[in-house]
Amino acid sequence: FAIEHVSRISRILKQPRSHALLVGVGGSGRQSLTRLAAYMADYVLFQVEIGKGYTSFEWREDLKRILRKSAESETHSCFLFTDTQIKEESFLEDINNLLNAGEVPNVFPQDEKQEIQDAMRKIDKTRDKSKQTDGTPLGLFNMFIDRVRDQLHIVLAMSPIGGAFRTRLRKFPSLVNCCTIDWFQAWPEDAL
């Protein structure tokens, strides 16, 4: 049972620009199997630590760190986010934007954008001439977004219990449109 789900998650992570929505009750193995699949693929796993004083400011800072690390390194990464970590609905709006466009609008101030463009310029110079950008700030930032889309795989772990799941899927359509869904049923007796 677990091997089926690990192979599904692994297959999703190995596909280009792919994301997963794992649906099942708590304790069904969604997070553990995602960690195992990410380890098997040799991906860096990111997960935010939600504390008592965690606000949208800390969320945006964590997102910026995840986006920069995934775009500025050469390794793929996996961002595991569960429904228990949703303290504000704006978190899901940001995830929705990431799934759909590969960026969160207005998350980077101008000085950080400049740092990103400098980092992308270094990477751009090492690439093949035919793949290089024109070197403009917009071209370099678009390269950053493309690298995020290529190298960051988002895995959402959600519980179908209650009306919140249905409401969130209606409000944020990218959760369905841009993710491969894996349903975690109750574990069979012989698997326990």
Side-chain angles (χ1 to χ4, degrees):
F1 180 79
I3 295 190
E4 288 176 18
H5 286 292
V6 168
S7 62
R8 286 180 194 150
I9 297 167
S10 294
R11 194 174 329 121
I12 293 167
L13 292 179
K14 284 293 189 182
Q15 291 178 358
R17 294 191 177 191
S18 59
H19 311 287
L21 173 62
L22 311 179
V23 184
V25 295
S28 57
R30 299 165 302 175
Q31 290 186 62
S32 303
L33 297 178
T34 300
R35 283 190 181 93
L36 180 60
Y39 176 78
M40 287 168 42
D42 209 21
Y43 287 2
V44 178
L45 183 83
F46 296 112
Q47 192 167 18
V48 292
E49 292 290 323
I50 304 286
K52 193 172 184 177
Y54 197 85
T55 63
S56 56
F57 176 77
E58 284 86 4
W59 164 253
R60 287 286 175 112
E61 290 301 311
D62 282 341
L63 264 187
K64 288 193 282 190
R65 184 176 47 81
I66 290 167
L67 294 176
R68 289 191 65 171
K69 280 188 178 174
S70 62
E72 292 172 8
S73 73
E74 292 302 318
T75 58
H76 283 257
S77 50
C78 174
F79 176 37
L80 177 58
F81 187 68
T82 67
D83 55 357
T84 57
Q85 295 173 318
I86 303 170
K87 288 192 83 173
E88 297 175 24
E89 290 296 309
S90 64
F91 293 6
L92 269 182
E93 188 175 343
D94 293 341
I95 293 283
N96 187 64
N97 287 327
L98 260 180
L99 290 168
N100 203 13
E103 70 166 324
V104 179
N106 304 321
V107 75
F108 292 107
Q110 196 57 44
D111 60 324
E112 289 183 30
K113 265 190 177 177
Q114 188 62 48
E115 291 173 18
I116 289 169
Q117 290 162 359
D118 292 341
M120 291 300 110
R121 189 172 285 113
K122 288 178 190 164
I123 294 170
D124 194 30
K125 286 179 181 172
T126 64
R127 298 195 317 173
D128 187 27
K129 274 275 191 222
S130 62
K131 294 180 180 176
Q132 285 184 357
T133 65
D134 56 2
T136 62
L138 181 63
L140 291 168
F141 196 72
N142 286 339
M143 178 188 162
F144 170 77
I145 293 168
D146 280 342
R147 286 179 66 88
V148 168
R149 292 185 79 183
D150 291 339
Q151 296 185 176
L152 180 65
H153 303 273
I154 299 169
V155 178
L156 303 167
M158 297 193 158
S159 172
I161 296 171
F165 179 64
R166 190 179 321 114
T167 306
R168 286 171 175 156
L169 292 184
R170 253 198 314 265
K171 278 166 83 176
F172 307 109
S174 292
L175 299 182
V176 174
N177 298 341
C178 301
C179 291
T180 304
I181 302 172
D182 185 9
W183 285 86
F184 280 67
Q185 305 295 338
W187 283 61
E189 283 297 318
D190 58 340
L192 297 173

